């Protein structure tokens, strides 16, 4: 395409854009004028901006419709193109020699005489659009103003307000400047309601359709801020320290006296969380040299980058405990609203030794000004074991390694049996039966341990105690083991009985069969277990007896090398044991009430002297908030006139305990403005119901007897 044709095409597009703009812009001004008359200057600005954007978009769209196809059709309408304009936009290599020759001929003709491509100006339509726009604007701004007068142009001074033409808000502007420590940018809004940070600076800028004599901001708590006039603009400033309800009041009275709400968001103190260690009391390992600590501090606006870690070292025992404090400064990492502080304490540098306690606590501050808010983490304690505790731990480990069978539980027996079943095909038959028999021995020992709580000390005659290097095979369990096994099941209650001997006599004489003294010295413990058995209530004893029966069946199957058959009995025994753990363990004898002796001389005589009445006196309960109870009762009648001033005073005294005092204050103000409003009565009554204190629970009244019960009571009254 030649440059001459390209320029002609672009001129046609520009002509189309201007035609569309000339037709649309007057209509945009007309619509904006109507919006100004109906809704004010703010609406005029929005409508005008939107209309102009639509006009420009429509003009651009219509200009882009003059594309290549339009240009080909427009050139073919002129004889100079000879219906061959499409050859100008085809690729030369795709044309045959005849087409290339025709293309060169048409291109030369167009360069010498280019037809007019621009569309004609629609003068009549443009004039009609302009005239219609002028008429609409004249009607919008020149129509007589009634009670709902339209706002004025910014440059024209508003007339004085009169009772016949009261002022009305024409434009509103609220500038909110949050405190610097919040990091929030200053913002401007047209709405007079808002939620702002505490201590934010607020500046109101108001314009009226008619200039009032005075104007002010009236708050619900009685505070009044006068608006200062500067030309046709009224402004005021206030620091938001508390939530408030307010309205714009003028003289003469403003046409719209609605309430506006300002919610103030206070700055919350920071929150500190301990990340490591994961519990408040940590038992140190023998020879521990370091203790890593990690904390996380969060705040709604920001935490100071440095924090103080206080470390307290407690040394000594009993009444000879000394404390020594040290403070470390920690630097935080991460964003300001969520910082992490970490420190690894060197126990040797702190002077911590065996048996000492190391207590750590972190203190952080937020960026609140002028006074920063601080918060402390929970204390974490590292307890270093003493030498005696370390020796006791080593001894306990030795006992567990030497006598592992004494610490078996029913759950462990089930686990061992299931593991053995999985190895049935891999083990020789003799080895399999041997392992099953070993599990059966463990089951038997556990059964005897539980049987001691039922007074079942042993089975069969006396047998020699097991040696320290082999597992016990005696039916009598040893008395040196923990009070509880590892899964929480009760173990043998033998504590405190190791200071007297229950073994065989040591004087060299054999035990005499039938001798009570020899029986006690031979078998022992009967006095303790008999007493323990009496502490179990009958239901618990029955449950424990059922568990022993299931253990017996499980033991028999295991000793015969059949762990599959033993599992159902073992599971049932475990279930019974859990029931015993949750049951009441102590049986208390019932003690009857100590009643006065019965006077036999007055029996069956009908003498009712000195018998007091059993009727409970009914007393009206005083409401905690009697003032608002009376108002709440008055609001049930829409025609009543409740004492709103007394209610307002009560609200000021109890504002701190109410969850939403502004809603109650708004309901009071709405009823004050419209005393005849039925919905306002109900809304205030609902708010008062939420604010009422609930009375303390009292003794309930007796249930009224039915017909049969009443006849019975009447018969008792009629009995002489």
């Amino acid at each position: 395409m030649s440059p001459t044709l390209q320029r002609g095409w672009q001129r046609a597009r520009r002509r189309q854009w201007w035609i569309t703009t000339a037709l649309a812009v007057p209509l945009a001004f007309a619509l904006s004028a109507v919006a100004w008359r109906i809704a004010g200057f703010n609406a005029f600005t929005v409508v005008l901006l939107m209309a102009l954007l639509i006009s420009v978009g429509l003009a651009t769209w219509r200009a882009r419709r003059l594309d290549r196809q339009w240009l080909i059709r427009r050139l073919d309408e002129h004889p100079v193109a000879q219906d061959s304009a499409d050859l100008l936009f085809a690729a030369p290599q795709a044309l045959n020699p005849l087409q290339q020759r025709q293309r060169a001929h048409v291109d030369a003709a167009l360069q010498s005489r280019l037809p007019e491509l621009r569309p004609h100006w629609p003068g009549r339509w443009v004039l009609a659009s302009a005239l219609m726009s002028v008429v609409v604007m004249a009607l919008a701004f020149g129509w007589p103003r009634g009670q709902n007068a339209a706002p004025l142009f910014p440059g024209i001074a508003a007339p004085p307000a009169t009772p016949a033409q009261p002022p009305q808000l024409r434009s509103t502007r609220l500038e909110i400047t949050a405190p610097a420590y919040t990091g929030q940018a200053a913002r401007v809004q047209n709405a007079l309601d808002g939620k702002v940070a505490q201590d934010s600076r607020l500046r109101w800028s108001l314009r009226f359709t008619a200039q009032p004599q005075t104007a002010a901001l009236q708050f619900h708590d009685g505070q009044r801020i006068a608006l200062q006039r500067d030309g046709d603009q009224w402004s005021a400033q206030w620091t938001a320290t508390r939530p408030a309800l307010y309205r714009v009041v003028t003289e003469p009275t403003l046409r719209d006296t609605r309430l506006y709400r300002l919610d103030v968001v206070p700055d919350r103190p920071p929150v500190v969380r301990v990340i490591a260690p994961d519990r408040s009391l940590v038992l140190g390992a023998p020879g521990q040299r370091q203790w890593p600590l990690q904390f996380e501090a969060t705040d709604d606006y920001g935490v100071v980058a440095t924090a103080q870690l206080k470390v307290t070292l407690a040394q000594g025992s009993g009444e000879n405990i000394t404390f020594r404090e040290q403070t470390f400064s920690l630097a935080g990492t991460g964003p300001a609203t969520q910082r992490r502080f970490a420190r690894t304490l060197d126990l040797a540098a702190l002077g911590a030794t065996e048996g000492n306690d190391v207590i750590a606590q972190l203190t952080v501050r937020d960026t609140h000004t002028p006074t920063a808010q601080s918060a402390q983490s929970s204390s974490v304690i590292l307890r270093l074991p003493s030498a005696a505790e370390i020796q006791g731990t080593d001894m306990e480990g030795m006992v567990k390694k030497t006598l592992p069978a004494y610490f078996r539980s029913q759950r462990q027996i089930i686990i061992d049996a299931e593991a053995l079943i999985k190895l049935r095909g891999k083990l020789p038959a003799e080895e399999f039966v041997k392992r099953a028999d070993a599990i059966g021995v463990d089951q038997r020992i556990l059964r005897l341990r539980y049987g001691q709580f039922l007074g079942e000390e042993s089975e069969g005659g006396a047998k020699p105690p097991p040696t320290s290097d082999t597992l016990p095979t005696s039916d009598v369990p040893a008395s040196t083991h923990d009070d509880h096994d590892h899964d929480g099941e009760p173990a043998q209650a033998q504590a405190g009985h190791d200071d007297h001997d229950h073994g065989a006599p040591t004087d060299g004489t054999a035990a005499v069969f039938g001798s009570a003294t020899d029986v006690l010295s031979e078998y022992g413990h009967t006095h303790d277990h008999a007493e323990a058995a009496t502490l179990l209530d009958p239901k618990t004893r029955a449950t424990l007896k059922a568990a022993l029966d299931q253990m017996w069946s499980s033991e028999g199957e295991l000793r015969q090398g059949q762990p599959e058959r033993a599992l159902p009995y073992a599971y049932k025994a475990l279930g019974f044991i859990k029931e015993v753990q949750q049951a009441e363990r102590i049986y208390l004898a019932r003690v009857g009430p100590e009643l006065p002796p019965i006077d036999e001389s007055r029996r069956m005589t009908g003498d009712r002297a000195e018998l007091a009445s059993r009727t409970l006196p009914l007393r009206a309960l005083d409401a905690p908030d009697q003032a608002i109870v009376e108002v709440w009762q008055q609001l049930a009648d829409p025609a009543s006139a409740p004492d709103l001033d007394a209610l307002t005073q009560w609200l000021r005294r109890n504002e701190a305990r109410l969850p939403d005092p502004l809603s109650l204050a708004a309901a009071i103000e709405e009823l004050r403005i419209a005393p005849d409003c039925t919905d306002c009565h109900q809304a205030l009554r609902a708010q008062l119901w939420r604010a009422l204190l609930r009375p303390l629970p009292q003794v309930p009244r007796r249930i009224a007897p039915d017909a049969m019960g009443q006849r019975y009571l009447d018969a008792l009254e009629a009995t002489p």
Side-chain angles (χ1 to χ4, degrees):
M1 183 171 55
S2 62
T4 303
L5 182 58
Q6 180 71 25
R7 288 191 298 268
W9 187 15
Q10 295 300 328
R11 287 195 299 268
R13 282 190 165 187
R14 285 193 294 269
R15 173 68 64 84
Q16 184 69 17
W17 190 90
W18 283 110
I19 290 174
T20 306
T21 303
L23 292 173
V25 169
L27 298 179
F29 279 101
L31 292 176
S32 303
V34 174
W36 194 335
R37 179 60 184 259
I38 295 175
F41 180 76
N42 293 337
F44 165 79
T45 305
V46 174
V47 173
L48 179 60
L49 180 60
M50 295 298 296
L52 291 178
L53 290 177
I54 293 175
S55 300
V56 173
L58 181 62
T60 304
W61 174 73
R62 287 179 57 84
R64 290 185 176 181
R65 291 189 62 187
L66 305 184
D67 53 4
R68 180 180 298 179
Q69 298 299 327
W70 173 87
L71 180 59
I72 293 174
R73 291 194 302 269
R74 189 62 182 268
L75 292 175
D76 288 340
E77 292 175 359
H78 199 276
V80 71
Q82 299 180 1
D83 291 334
S84 301
D86 55 337
L87 298 177
L88 300 175
F89 304 95
Q93 59 273 16
L95 301 178
N96 55 39
L98 181 59
Q99 291 175 333
Q100 293 179 1
R101 183 176 181 180
Q102 178 66 12
R103 173 181 176 175
H105 176 73
V106 172
D107 190 11
L110 291 176
Q111 290 183 8
S112 61
R113 190 179 59 173
L114 182 66
E116 181 62 42
L117 301 177
R118 294 177 297 177
H120 297 288
W121 270 97
R124 295 181 178 180
W125 289 103
V126 173
L127 181 61
S129 176
L131 291 177
M132 185 178 64
S133 176
V134 171
V135 171
V136 172
M137 294 175 65
L139 292 176
F141 299 115
W143 196 266
R145 304 179 185 276
Q147 184 177 2
N148 298 324
L152 302 176
F153 288 98
I156 302 176
T162 61
Q165 185 178 353
Q168 182 180 0
L169 283 174
R170 184 179 71 189
S171 65
T172 59
R173 178 185 175 91
L174 179 60
E175 300 179 10
I176 303 173
T177 305
Y181 71 87
T182 62
Q184 299 179 359
R187 68 179 191 271
V188 179
Q189 62 182 35
N190 294 327
L192 297 183
D193 299 296
K195 179 180 292 186
V196 300
Q198 192 173 22
D199 297 330
S200 296
R201 295 191 305 274
L202 308 181
R203 187 177 187 277
W204 288 267
S205 298
L206 309 178
R207 297 178 185 271
F208 300 93
T209 57
Q211 293 295 347
Q213 299 176 6
T214 60
L217 302 177
Q218 181 66 48
F219 290 82
H220 76 284
D221 57 358
Q223 183 182 6
R224 187 183 182 95
I225 301 177
L227 289 165
Q228 304 297 326
R229 181 179 178 182
D230 183 12
D232 62 342
Q233 178 174 300
W234 297 75
S235 60
Q237 294 184 1
W238 183 63
T239 301
T241 57
R242 65 188 185 281
L245 292 171
Y246 72 98
R247 62 163 51 91
V248 181
V249 294
T250 59
E251 181 63 34
T253 305
L254 193 66
R255 181 179 302 166
D256 184 10
T257 58
R258 58 160 293 191
L259 279 172
Y260 302 99
R261 176 167 179 163
L262 284 176
D263 291 311
V264 176
V265 181
D267 181 15
R268 296 187 300 271
V271 178
V272 188
R273 183 172 63 93
V274 180
I275 299 179
D278 57 355
R279 52 188 178 273
S280 59
L281 178 59
V282 181
L283 299 179
Q288 182 174 347
R289 298 178 179 272
Q290 294 181 339
W291 187 28
L293 299 174
Q294 190 173 6
F295 304 87
E296 183 181 69
T298 57
D299 188 71
D300 42 7
Y301 297 120
V303 180
V304 177
T306 59
Q308 302 299 320
L309 178 64
K310 183 177 68 174
V311 179
T312 304
L313 179 63
Q315 296 176 320
S317 62
E319 298 181 356
N320 299 324
I321 298 179
T322 60
F323 297 93
R324 188 175 61 184
E325 293 185 357
Q326 300 183 43
T327 303
F328 303 94
S329 180
L330 304 184
T333 59
T337 57
Q338 186 177 9
R339 295 189 185 275
R340 289 204 172 190
F341 301 88
R343 177 67 181 257
T344 300
L345 297 179
D346 188 350
L347 301 180
L350 293 175
T353 58
E354 297 177 350
N356 296 165
D357 288 351
V358 181
I359 307 169
Q361 188 178 38
L362 185 72
T363 302
V364 299
R365 294 177 296 109
D366 63 3
T367 56
H368 185 274
T369 55
T371 304
Q373 302 179 100
S374 62
Q376 294 180 340
S377 67
S378 58
S379 298
V380 289
I381 305 173
L382 173 64
R383 180 158 297 169
L384 299 176
S386 61
E389 293 175 348
I390 296 175
Q391 293 177 1
T393 304
D394 296 340
M395 181 62 67
E396 181 181 359
M398 293 174 61
V399 172
K400 289 184 179 180
K401 293 179 181 179
T402 305
L403 303 176
Y406 294 146
F407 299 95
R408 293 296 181 96
S409 66
Q410 186 63 31
R411 182 181 292 108
Q412 186 62 43
I413 291 174
I414 294 174
I415 295 174
D416 293 345
E418 291 178 344
L420 182 60
I421 292 174
K422 295 180 180 179
L423 298 176
R424 175 178 287 274
K426 301 179 182 179
L427 295 176
E430 295 181 358
E431 180 66 20
F432 184 86
V433 173
K434 183 178 179 181
R435 292 193 181 185
D437 181 70
I439 300 175
V441 172
D442 295 339
Q443 180 70 87
R444 183 179 190 181
I445 295 174
L446 184 63
R447 176 176 59 83
L448 294 178
R449 288 169 59 186
Y450 281 103
Q452 293 172 3
F453 291 96
L454 296 179
E456 301 175 1
E457 174 69 17
S458 61
E459 295 180 356
K463 296 181 181 180
T467 60
S468 59
D469 56 346
T470 60
L471 294 179
T473 57
S474 173
D475 293 344
V476 183
S479 60
T480 56
H481 57 76
D482 288 349
D483 293 341
H484 297 275
D485 54 15
H486 65 275
D487 65 351
E489 298 174 1
Q492 180 181 352
Q494 301 280 348
H497 297 159
D498 295 335
D499 55 348
H500 57 281
D501 188 15
H502 294 278
T506 58
D507 54 358
T509 61
V512 180
F513 179 78
S515 175
T517 305
D518 294 334
V519 169
L520 290 177
S521 62
E522 178 71 18
Y523 296 99
H525 296 304
T526 55
H527 55 286
D528 295 330
H529 304 310
E531 293 176 0
T534 59
L535 296 179
L536 301 178
D537 60 273
K539 183 179 179 181
T540 304
R541 288 175 57 86
T543 305
L544 186 55
K545 182 63 171 62
L548 295 178
D549 294 341
Q550 298 298 326
M551 289 183 183
W552 179 275
S553 301
S554 174
E555 175 190 346
E557 298 295 342
L558 288 171
R559 299 299 292 269
Q560 297 178 18
Q562 300 294 334
E564 296 88 349
R565 299 179 183 178
L567 278 180
Y569 302 110
Y571 274 112
K572 291 180 181 179
L574 179 61
F576 286 128
I577 291 173
K578 295 304 179 184
E579 293 182 13
V580 172
Q581 290 177 351
Q582 299 174 1
E584 298 180 357
R585 303 303 178 87
I586 305 301
Y587 174 78
L588 299 178
R590 294 186 178 181
V591 179
E594 297 181 0
L595 300 177
I598 299 175
D599 187 2
E600 298 291 344
S601 62
R602 297 182 58 182
R603 296 191 64 183
M604 307 300 292
T605 62
D607 184 8
R608 300 175 59 85
E610 300 180 1
L611 293 180
S613 175
R614 295 186 178 182
T615 304
L616 295 177
L618 299 179
R619 180 178 60 86
L621 182 64
D622 296 333
D625 304 323
Q626 190 63 33
I628 64 173
V629 170
E630 295 177 359
V631 176
W632 183 79
Q633 294 173 349
Q634 295 173 1
L635 289 172
D637 183 10
S640 64
D643 190 356
L644 298 181
D645 294 334
L647 185 58
T648 302
Q649 296 177 1
W650 176 90
L651 176 60
R652 294 175 184 174
R653 294 192 303 269
N654 299 270
E655 186 174 1
R657 73 169 183 83
L658 298 179
D660 189 8
L662 292 185
S663 297
L664 179 57
I668 295 174
E669 294 299 324
E670 289 177 359
L671 184 60
R672 195 188 300 274
I673 296 173
D676 300 333
C677 177
T678 304
D679 295 337
C680 298
H681 278 75
Q682 297 301 324
L684 179 57
R685 200 163 189 261
Q687 292 293 336
L688 287 179
W689 179 257
R690 298 187 184 97
L692 279 172
L693 287 175
R694 300 298 182 263
L696 298 177
Q698 302 294 321
V699 178
R701 299 185 60 180
R702 291 180 176 177
I703 301 176
D706 54 7
M708 180 179 295
Q710 189 62 43
R711 288 197 301 270
Y712 176 75
L713 295 177
D714 294 342
L716 291 179
E717 292 289 341
T719 302

